[in-house]
């Protein structure tokens, strides 16, 4: 990365900085990432970073915005081509799994931000992401009920929590095993169980 970041326009430098943080978070505890380690990873000085970000928190906020934009965009693209609400939920689930498999630093950062006691800008961004993601699932679950594809007796909020919790569980298991690829491998059979649980039986 160092050979490509010396003379970049401001927006590109900000984007490369975000990508550097995501890469570092996949290799080390996100709470231990410093502006010095980010600069070293990019092959620039800390001063160069501070031309585009006033402090570390602003960098983390930009990372959370990057995650939200890309994850929600992938979810929308995946759902767009689905043939039914339940198929759209599965497509979003698999797109989310693919995203965290490609960027294993992302869930580590999300977990880290959500565990912080104080209300920081990055934490608020992470909360906004989860709310937006949950709202999209809510719309699809209700549409599935209306179409008779999902049981009308299903508690929508519980179904949302369970689906997001399934992905979080996959991430935790992969971290414990030190094998991020197992997320991709284990995801489909887990969704099959989820589908049977919320389906209308038709």
């Amino acid at each position: 990365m160092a050979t490509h970041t010396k003379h970049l326009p401001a927006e590109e430098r900000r984007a490369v900085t975000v990508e550097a943080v995501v890469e570092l978070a996949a290799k080390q505890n996100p709470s231990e990432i410093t502006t010095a380690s980010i600069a070293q990873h990019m092959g620039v000085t800390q001063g160069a970073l501070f031309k585009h970000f006033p402090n570390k928190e602003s960098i983390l906020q930009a990372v959370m915005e990057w995650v939200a934009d890309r994850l929600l965009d992938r979810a929308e693209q995946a759902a767009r081509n689905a043939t039914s609400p339940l198929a759209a939920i599965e497509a979003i689930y698999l797109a989310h799994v693919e995203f965290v498999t490609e960027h294993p630093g992302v869930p580590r950062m999300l977990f880290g931000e959500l565990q912080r006691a104080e209300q920081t800008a990055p934490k608020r961004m992470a909360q906004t992401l989860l709310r937006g993601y949950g709202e999209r699932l809510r719309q699809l679950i209700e549409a599935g009920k209306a179409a008779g594809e999902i049981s009308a007796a299903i508690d929508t909020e519980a179904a949302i929590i369970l689906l997001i919790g399934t992905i979080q569980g996959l991430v935790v298991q992969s971290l414990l095993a030190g094998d991020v690829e197992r997320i991709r491998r284990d995801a489909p059979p887990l969704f099959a169980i989820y589908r049977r649980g919320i389906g209308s039986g038709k």
Side-chain angles (χ1 to χ4, degrees), residues 161-187:
I161 292 169
L162 182 58
L163 189 67
I164 295 174
T166 298
I167 297 170
Q168 292 170 337
L170 285 168
V171 170
V172 170
Q173 290 295 323
S174 74
L175 290 174
L176 289 171
D179 178 14
V180 72
E181 285 298 319
R182 72 175 293 169
I183 301 175
R184 188 183 283 128
R185 183 176 64 248
D186 293 344

Side-chain angles (χ1 to χ4, degrees), residues 30-46:
S31 67
E32 296 174 359
I33 296 174
T34 63
T35 52
S37 63
I38 296 168
Q40 182 179 16
H41 186 72
M42 295 173 64
V44 300
T45 65
Q46 287 191 71

Side-chain angles (χ1 to χ4, degrees), residues 25-175:
K27 302 171 185 175
Q28 66 183 86
N29 186 335
S31 67
E32 296 174 359
I33 296 174
T34 63
T35 52
S37 63
I38 296 168
Q40 182 179 16
H41 186 72
M42 295 173 64
V44 300
T45 65
Q46 287 191 71
L49 281 187
F50 292 134
K51 288 180 181 177
H52 307 285
F53 298 96
N55 49 42
K56 180 183 173 182
E57 183 171 317
S58 66
I59 296 174
L60 295 179
Q61 182 176 358
V63 171
M64 290 299 108
E65 290 171 354
W66 180 91
V67 170
D69 288 345
R70 278 156 183 75
L71 182 55
L72 293 176
D73 182 61
R74 282 206 189 187
E76 284 304 316
Q77 287 187 33
R80 193 172 298 133
N81 297 321
T83 56
S84 71
L86 191 51
I89 293 170
E90 181 173 13
I92 287 174
Y93 169 84
L94 293 175
H96 191 161
V97 165
E98 194 63 28
F99 183 78
V100 298
T101 303
E102 292 172 10
H103 305 289
V106 166
R108 294 168 63 120
M109 295 194 69
L110 281 170
F111 285 152
E113 287 303 319
L114 293 173
Q115 288 179 66
R116 293 176 69 170
E118 67 274 26
Q119 190 64 261
T120 63
K123 181 176 179 178
R124 286 193 296 273
M125 192 65 233
Q127 292 168 331
T128 299
L129 164 61
L130 289 175
R131 282 195 298 271
Y133 191 83
E135 180 55 35
R136 187 68 182 100
L137 292 175
R138 184 176 297 105
Q139 293 168 2
L140 289 169
I141 291 169
E142 292 301 328
K145 288 181 180 182
E149 189 179 27
I150 294 174
S151 171
I154 290 295
D155 183 315
T156 298
E157 297 307 313
I160 293 168
I161 292 169
L162 182 58
L163 189 67
I164 295 174
T166 298
I167 297 170
Q168 292 170 337
L170 285 168
V171 170
V172 170
Q173 290 295 323
S174 74
L175 290 174

